[in-house]
């Protein structure tokens, strides 16, 4: 449904639950629900371009993040094995004919991601064909960054297990550095974004054989 695709609701058997109700804490709106409503059209367009990487018979990792969640909303058909750290993504895909593996660990209320030692241990035995990743920031100096150390470690582990890596990140996060770097351009294969990210970054992508989509 439109509400579900835009992040306002989660479909359940027999109805829908408002994401505000799921994500509110002490009467205040959670950071995730705020981000889910920002740039909805932009995020949906990026997700639609990334749909080409969801191929039947593949093992696919879906990272936490609102843009990746928009991709999960577009996925149909069957025959994939999805691995995810995101609680909401696992919930969404569990209603399809795909196989879904939810990583365990502590849940970050701002990202709805499970991370920590348990998630890292699980990833040691999982092979990934395509990793669809997200980041909170990118700069030429620092690479792709996030603010949470355990989520950084998990992203690094996933990249090490993946044959192909696809980054979904919009231009609002360019030239923005957070505390922890989990990847440089040399560690990704495709970058799906909302436009050409400037001459300098475009040159760096070409140098590192990153395909901009």
């Amino acid at each position: 449904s439109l509400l579900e695709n835009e992040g306002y609701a989660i479909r359940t058997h027999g109805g829908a639950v408002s994401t505000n109700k799921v994500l509110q804490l002490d009467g205040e709106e959670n950071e995730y629900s705020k981000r889910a409503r920002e740039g909805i059209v932009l995020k949906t367009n990026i997700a639609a371009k990334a749909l080409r990487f969801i191929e039947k018979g593949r093992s696919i990792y879906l990272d936490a993040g609102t843009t990746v969640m928009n991709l999960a909303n577009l996925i149909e058909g069957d025959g994939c094995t999805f691995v995810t750290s995101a609680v909401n993504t696992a919930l969404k895909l569990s209603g399809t004919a795909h196989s879904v593996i939810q990583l365990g660990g502590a849940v970050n209320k701002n990202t709805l991601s499970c991370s920590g030692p348990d998630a890292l241990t699980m990833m040691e035995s999982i092979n990934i064909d395509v990793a669809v990743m997200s980041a909170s920031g990118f700069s030429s100096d620092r690479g792709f960054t996030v603010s949470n150390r355990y989520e950084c470690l998990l992203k690094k582990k996933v990249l090490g297990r993946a044959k192909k890596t696809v980054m979904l990140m919009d231009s609002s996060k360019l030239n923005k550095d957070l505390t922890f770097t989990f990847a440089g351009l040399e560690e990704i294969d495709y970058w799906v974004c909302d436009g050409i990210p400037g001459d300098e970054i475009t040159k760096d992508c070409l140098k590192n054989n990153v395909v901009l989509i």
Side-chain angles (χ1 to χ4, degrees):
S1 69
L2 178 62
L3 288 176
E4 185 178 20
N5 288 343
E6 295 187 352
Y8 290 113
I10 297 173
R11 186 188 300 276
T12 63
H13 295 293
V17 177
S18 164
T19 54
N20 285 338
K21 290 182 179 179
V22 173
L23 301 173
Q24 277 181 346
L25 181 68
D26 297 331
E28 295 184 1
E29 188 177 30
N30 185 277
E31 286 299 318
Y32 184 94
S33 64
K34 291 179 184 177
R35 293 199 310 277
R37 294 202 309 274
E38 294 173 351
I40 292 171
V41 174
L42 181 152
K43 292 175 182 179
T44 302
N45 289 341
I46 292 175
K49 291 195 290 184
L51 195 57
R52 72 187 71 179
F53 295 103
I54 309 302
E55 300 176 349
K56 186 174 182 178
R58 301 293 187 183
S59 171
I60 299 173
Y61 182 86
L62 294 181
D63 204 1
T66 55
T67 304
V68 180
M69 181 61 196
N70 272 269
L71 173 60
N73 285 330
L74 300 177
I75 293 172
E76 298 178 347
D78 57 41
C80 290
T81 296
F82 288 104
V83 182
T84 185
S85 62
V87 177
N88 54 339
T89 297
L91 177 62
K92 169 64 181 179
L93 293 174
S94 66
T96 69
H98 299 286
S99 174
V100 181
I101 298 172
Q102 167 73 64
L103 298 182
V107 179
N108 183 331
K109 66 178 181 295
N110 292 325
T111 62
L112 299 186
S113 172
C114 293
S115 61
D118 292 334
L120 293 172
T121 298
M122 286 184 70
M123 279 306 308
E124 288 178 358
S125 60
I126 299 176
N127 298 317
I128 301 296
D129 293 314
V130 180
V132 181
M133 306 300 293
S134 66
S136 299
F138 174 85
S139 71
S140 296
D141 293 335
R142 303 293 186 181
F144 295 98
T145 58
V146 290
S147 60
N148 183 284
R149 177 174 176 270
Y150 278 121
E151 290 187 8
C152 172
L153 293 174
L154 177 58
K155 290 173 188 286
K156 282 177 173 285
K157 176 69 75 174
V158 170
L159 293 178
R161 303 294 302 176
K163 291 182 179 178
K164 181 188 300 181
T165 301
V166 181
M167 180 66 65
L168 307 191
M169 203 188 82
D170 64 77
S171 56
S172 70
K173 299 174 182 177
L174 293 176
N175 301 312
K176 180 181 178 182
D177 293 333
L178 283 87
T179 309
F180 301 100
T181 296
F182 68 89
L185 285 172
E186 68 276 8
E187 294 169 275
I188 70 169
D189 300 294
Y190 300 89
W191 184 347
V192 187
C193 51
D194 55 321
I196 303 301
D199 291 341
E200 181 181 353
I201 293 176
T202 299
K203 289 179 182 178
D204 288 341
C205 286
L206 290 172
K207 185 190 304 181
N208 288 280
N209 297 315
V210 176
V211 178
L212 287 169
I213 297 174

